[in-house]
Amino acid sequence: MNGLRVERVAVDGSLSEPLLGSLLADWRHVHNVIVPPAALSPGEVRERAGRFLLEVAANTEGLRFAHAHGYVESDRYVLPGGSALWIDLRLA
């Protein structure tokens, strides 16, 4: 996990619209590749960016990292049609 950098994509006017749009498009691409059963539209990504700091599918090492940085589990579930366990985290 060395070198991992996490940044908030703020939908608060602090970023130029072209930069914000580019960051949200990148986030959407990664999300949709990782979670195809729950693919998001550009509008859904923009709405979520205003509500959530981070959405993570994590392995054991990733969970330890998240817990060490103040995150707690808020939900565990399997997506319809999937078999992988997903864990939602929130900043405590």
Side-chain angles (χ1 to χ4, degrees):
M1 288 291 196
N2 291 341
L4 178 66
R5 191 170 110 189
V6 178
E7 290 188 36
R8 173 176 252 169
V9 177
V11 184
D12 61 3
S14 64
L15 299 174
S16 70
E17 189 57 37
L19 177 57
L20 176 61
S22 177
L23 292 171
L24 293 176
D26 289 346
W27 188 92
R28 177 177 178 250
H29 172 75
V30 171
H31 177 275
N32 290 350
V33 167
I34 294 171
V35 195
L40 298 173
S41 71
E44 290 170 319
V45 170
R46 185 173 289 271
E47 187 270 332
R48 284 185 180 206
R51 288 190 297 139
F52 300 116
L53 171 61
L54 186 62
E55 221 174 82
V56 176
N59 58 21
T60 304
E61 182 180 338
L63 283 175
R64 279 194 302 268
F65 175 85
H67 290 149
H69 287 82
Y71 287 85
V72 295
E73 293 182 27
S74 61
D75 195 12
R76 286 179 174 241
Y77 54 93
V78 175
L79 292 172
S83 60
L85 175 66
W86 292 91
I87 301 170
D88 285 349
L89 302 170
R90 65 175 176 76
L91 194 55

